[in-house]
Amino acid sequence: MMRKVIAVVVVIGAIAAFMLVVVSRDADVRDVRAQISVADALRGDTTGFARATRPGSVRLPMDHAAHPDYKTEWWYFTGNLSTESGRELGYQFTIFRTALVAPQRSRADHSSRWRADQLYTAHMAVSDPEGGRFLFADRNSRAALGLAGTELMPFRVWTEGWEIRQVGSDALEAAIEADGGSFAVALTLQPTRPPVLHGDGGLSPKSRDGLNASYYYSYPRLATTGSVRIESERFDVTGMTWMDHEWSTSALSETQVGWDWFALRLSNGQDLMYFQVRERDPTDEPFVEATLVSPTGPSERLLAEDVELTVTDTWTSSSSGGVYPSSWKLEVPQRAIRLEIAPLMADQELRLAVQYWEGAVTIDGTVAGTAVTGRGYVELTGYSDAAFGQR
């Protein structure tokens, strides 16, 4: 979603990809302060850029690659992992692309190999509830001199030494490798289901006026193996990863301030993507979309009236002062889905050039009266910007 929509943006969601601010390379340092809000990062001058307007325009595998005619884009991976002893970990690995100039200007001057039309920003985080640690870091680079970029055959997206690269016959049969100094991930992904197109055939609206939308697809279940290093400890891990790929030009309207994005995998085989894009006026209804995926693969588009989300607890960041939702009830009455969602740990706030909460969650509930459990990820943006005068 633009998680995410960070659409939404609903980043995740994204988010920082649009930062032109370079921050500490080991950003698990807790005194990093936001320089720009997520909402502002997704706006700006959009003259000359392409826009997401046509349903059914997503074509795979070609669309795994970058879309430089659009202003913003991200490849988003969030996973729930377990060690051999059963210790739970979560991870996020995201690469954001942001166009620095419109395509017409971009093509006008190729006089220097140092010249860059695109900025790539990567975010990585690891959640370790048992160890009481949440580590995060970033990388920023221009798409010049091979420092950052994308390739299609074979598929690869990278920012300096952090990358996602194809290692099998499928583009998402891939490896993630990134070292954040105090922590690192080395993971292999294997698709277990076909991709899911969100919205109307991959066209995912983010506002009621029809002026803001993205192209958005996901791989909700990528079987994951590999290792996670936290300081001097190395853990062999297995689990599942959710992958989002989204590209757009204008993803938030002037009245929208952020989003809440959910990627949920249930023990009965269902997957649920939900996002709401919040309005500046908290009394206004958010814009909502969701996708429910069956155990056999087909997906169903859900709208605002189909899903009920209730916040049941909050958490206040001692660093940013942001007050985030921290537990939820999510219901889809027509499908008899009733879920309770809680974070694996309260503090999963990334304090980088933008601040947002992106964390692993647990799920308990019922579907048609049968008990289910699950794991997933939630992204929350626009909650801490006010602490720095950005709204």
Side-chain angles (χ1 to χ4, degrees):
M1 49 188 233
M2 265 192 52
R3 239 157 139 273
K4 240 25 46 311
V5 74
I6 75 180
V8 91
V9 196
V10 109
V11 181
I12 116 122
I15 309 175
F18 317 147
M19 305 323 100
L20 302 184
V21 180
V22 178
V23 301
S24 167
R25 289 186 175 267
D26 286 316
D28 48 332
V29 176
R30 299 309 174 122
D31 60 355
V32 177
R33 290 294 183 264
Q35 300 299 314
I36 185 171
S37 73
V38 171
D40 289 342
L42 290 174
R43 297 191 185 109
D45 186 7
T46 60
T47 304
F49 289 98
R51 287 182 173 270
T53 58
R54 294 182 298 134
S57 295
V58 175
R59 296 288 184 269
L60 299 176
M62 295 79 72
D63 279 328
H64 290 317
H67 301 79
D69 287 353
Y70 295 79
K71 188 173 183 181
T72 60
E73 185 164 13
W74 48 82
W75 297 261
Y76 224 107
F77 299 81
T78 53
N80 302 89
L81 309 173
S82 295
T83 69
E84 293 175 326
S85 65
R87 182 171 181 163
E88 289 197 71
L89 302 173
Y91 88 93
Q92 172 203 352
F93 178 77
T94 311
I95 294 183
F96 306 94
R97 177 198 59 79
T98 257
L100 302 176
V101 296
Q104 295 86 341
R105 291 178 56 197
S106 170
R107 295 166 185 148
D109 178 14
H110 296 280
S111 59
S112 171
R113 293 175 59 239
W114 292 83
R115 181 180 176 277
D117 305 327
Q118 309 289 326
L119 173 73
Y120 282 78
T121 296
H123 287 187
M124 178 174 63
V126 167
S127 303
D128 176 23
E130 184 175 318
R133 296 173 292 191
F134 180 63
L135 306 174
F136 52 93
D138 68 351
R139 292 289 184 273
N140 304 270
S141 189
R142 300 171 301 150
L145 301 173
L147 296 173
T150 62
E151 297 172 349
L152 180 56
M153 300 179 67
F155 172 63
R156 181 181 177 227
V157 186
W158 74 97
T159 301
E160 296 184 359
W162 295 9
E163 68 174 356
I164 171 78
R165 71 178 188 282
Q166 182 175 343
V167 295
S169 58
D170 187 291
L172 267 298
E173 188 177 346
I176 293 175
E177 293 186 358
D179 190 330
S182 60
F183 69 111
V185 299
L187 303 170
T188 300
L189 312 178
Q190 177 68 53
T192 63
R193 291 182 182 175
V196 174
L197 303 182
H198 298 292
D200 186 359
L203 178 67
S204 176
K206 310 304 181 187
S207 60
R208 295 180 184 85
D209 58 16
L211 300 178
N212 299 286
S214 69
Y215 292 119
Y216 177 26
Y217 67 89
S218 298
Y219 282 76
R221 294 186 182 236
L222 295 169
T224 306
T225 58
S227 65
V228 174
R229 178 181 60 77
I230 302 176
E231 296 173 347
S232 61
E233 296 182 276
R234 181 185 178 277
F235 303 96
D236 292 327
V237 295
T238 59
M240 280 286 177
T241 291
W242 183 299
M243 181 269 196
D244 280 346
H245 184 198
E246 194 163 7
W247 60 100
S248 65
T249 289
S250 179
L252 288 182
S253 73
E254 289 300 320
T255 64
Q256 293 173 319
V257 295
W259 59 85
D260 305 356
W261 170 89
F262 294 73
L264 309 177
R265 284 182 298 269
L266 303 182
S267 57
N268 67 352
Q270 288 181 308
D271 303 316
L272 177 63
M273 185 285 297
Y274 169 93
F275 70 77
Q276 61 175 16
V277 191
R278 304 186 315 280
E279 294 289 329
R280 187 180 305 277
D281 184 344
T283 65
D284 291 341
E285 290 295 318
F287 180 82
V288 170
E289 284 233 353
T291 305
L292 180 64
V293 184
S294 79
T296 57
S299 60
E300 174 187 4
R301 184 183 185 184
L302 304 177
L303 302 178
E305 57 268 27
D306 300 320
V307 187
E308 300 173 7
L309 182 71
T310 304
V311 175
T312 58
D313 200 0
T314 61
W315 171 76
T316 301
S317 168
S318 60
S319 175
S320 70
V323 180
Y324 294 90
S326 188
S327 294
W328 305 261
K329 287 184 179 179
L330 190 153
E331 300 186 51
V332 186
Q334 292 184 342
R335 299 294 176 267
I337 297 173
R338 294 175 174 82
L339 306 175
E340 295 187 1
I341 303 163
L344 275 181
M345 55 189 302
D347 185 358
Q348 296 179 87
E349 182 187 52
L350 286 86
R351 294 176 272 275
L352 298 168
V354 290
Q355 306 215 87
Y356 61 104
W357 193 99
E358 178 105 24
V361 298
T362 64
I363 307 159
D364 289 286
T366 60
V367 176
T370 301
V372 296
T373 60
R375 294 293 183 270
Y377 252 75
V378 171
E379 179 180 77
L380 308 169
T381 74
Y383 286 98
S384 66
D385 297 334
F388 303 97
Q390 296 292 341
R391 284 195 183 174

